[in-house]
């Protein structure tokens, strides 16, 4: 399930917003933002579905995660409980997980920032999940941030948001995205030289 290092290196040079110029699907709700500034992560998804105050499924997910995975958490019918905090952050780092994406809330934000550990979420809450509560699932298809995610799908997340796609789709669009990013600094330099965007794009 792990990514070849060459592909991972290339994907980590791509901005989610660059792919936003090419495709219009796979992008999670813009409300999901990272608690750390200027960070980009990429890796295969370990999926978790958590109902309400389930505090059992996340430790189970950590046991199944491979080094370099990104934990993607669907919060189902809950919009209040924080399912992620300082203890889960330490456990995830121990398991080799590189980031977490959840369409819900976190707690202990200072500890997460100090770790430092990238978490994309909706915000923070003092109301937390409880030990001994069950009902979730691990490595099943989920919907997170309005996007369907299957176990092993590739997650690309940065300061602009989160994109989830099958590996084959990333590979299809990779070269175009790399070309676009190579062109952008040249366009910005032309603008600084006083050339209009209309002329650069050929509309002048």
């Amino acid at each position: 399930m792990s990514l070849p290092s060459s592909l991972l290196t290339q994907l980590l040079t791509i901005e989610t917003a660059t792919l936003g110029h090419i495709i219009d699907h796979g992008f999670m709700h813009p409300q999901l933002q990272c608690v750390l500034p200027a960070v980009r992560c990429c890796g295969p998804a370990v999926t978790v579905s958590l109902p309400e105050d389930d505090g059992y499924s996340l430790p189970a997910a950590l046991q199944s995660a491979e080094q370099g995975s990104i934990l993607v958490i669907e919060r189902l019918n809950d919009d209040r409980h924080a399912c992620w905090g300082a203890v889960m952050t330490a456990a995830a780092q121990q398991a080799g997980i590189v980031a977490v994406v959840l369409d819900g809330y976190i707690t202990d934000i200072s500890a997460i920032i100090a770790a430092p550990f990238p978490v994309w979420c909706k915000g923070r809450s003092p109301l937390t999940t409880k030990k001994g509560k069950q009902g979730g699932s691990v490595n099943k298809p989920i919907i997170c941030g309005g996007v369907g995610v299957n176990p092993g799908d590739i997650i690309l997340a940065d300061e602009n948001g989160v994109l989830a796609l099958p590996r084959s789709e990333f590979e299809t669009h990779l070269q175009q995205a790399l070309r676009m990013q190579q062109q952008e600094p040249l366009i910005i330099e032309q603008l600084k030289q006083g050339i209009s965007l209309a002329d650069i794009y050929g509309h002048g």
Side-chain angles (χ1 to χ4, degrees):
M1 197 165 91
S2 59
L3 281 175
S5 59
S6 58
L7 177 59
L8 178 61
T9 299
Q10 286 185 304
L11 287 174
L12 283 171
T13 68
I14 300 298
E15 297 178 18
T16 55
T18 300
L19 287 160
H21 288 291
I22 301 171
I23 60 174
D24 59 5
H25 61 279
F27 296 92
M28 293 189 186
H29 194 283
Q31 187 179 3
L32 303 190
Q33 294 293 321
C34 192
V35 300
L36 302 179
V39 64
R40 183 176 303 146
C41 297
C42 183
V46 172
T47 59
V48 188
S49 184
L50 292 182
E52 299 174 350
D53 58 352
D54 170 23
Y56 171 80
S57 297
L58 284 178
L62 296 185
Q63 287 187 311
S64 69
E66 294 183 6
Q67 187 90 18
S69 298
I70 292 181
L71 209 59
V72 185
I73 305 167
E74 169 190 46
R75 287 300 282 124
L76 285 176
N77 52 353
D78 183 87
D79 197 44
R80 295 188 65 201
H81 291 84
C83 68
W84 197 268
V87 171
M88 289 306 306
T89 293
Q93 289 179 310
Q94 181 191 52
I97 290 171
V98 297
V100 168
V101 176
L102 64 117
D103 57 357
Y105 299 93
I106 63 170
T107 193
D108 303 330
I109 189 168
S110 296
I112 293 170
I113 292 171
F117 186 72
V119 179
W120 280 260
C121 63
K122 291 167 68 174
R124 66 192 86 170
S125 171
L127 181 63
T128 64
T129 52
K130 307 296 188 289
K131 293 180 180 179
K133 297 297 182 95
Q134 300 184 25
S137 64
V138 176
N139 277 331
K140 304 288 185 183
I142 64 169
I143 296 177
C144 182
V147 173
V149 183
N150 291 308
D153 281 354
I154 305 305
I155 306 299
L156 179 64
D158 61 16
E159 62 186 5
N160 295 312
V162 183
L163 174 62
L165 293 173
R167 173 177 162 178
S168 60
E169 283 205 57
F170 272 111
E171 291 174 330
T172 296
H173 301 298
L174 178 60
Q175 294 308 314
Q176 183 181 358
L178 289 170
R179 287 193 298 270
M180 289 180 69
Q181 290 200 175
Q182 290 169 352
Q183 292 166 358
E184 187 174 271
L186 302 177
I187 293 171
I188 292 173
E189 184 57 34
Q190 287 178 299
L191 289 168
K192 289 179 178 178
Q193 293 171 3
I195 304 172
S196 73
L197 192 60
D199 287 339
I200 294 170
Y201 284 170
H203 301 309

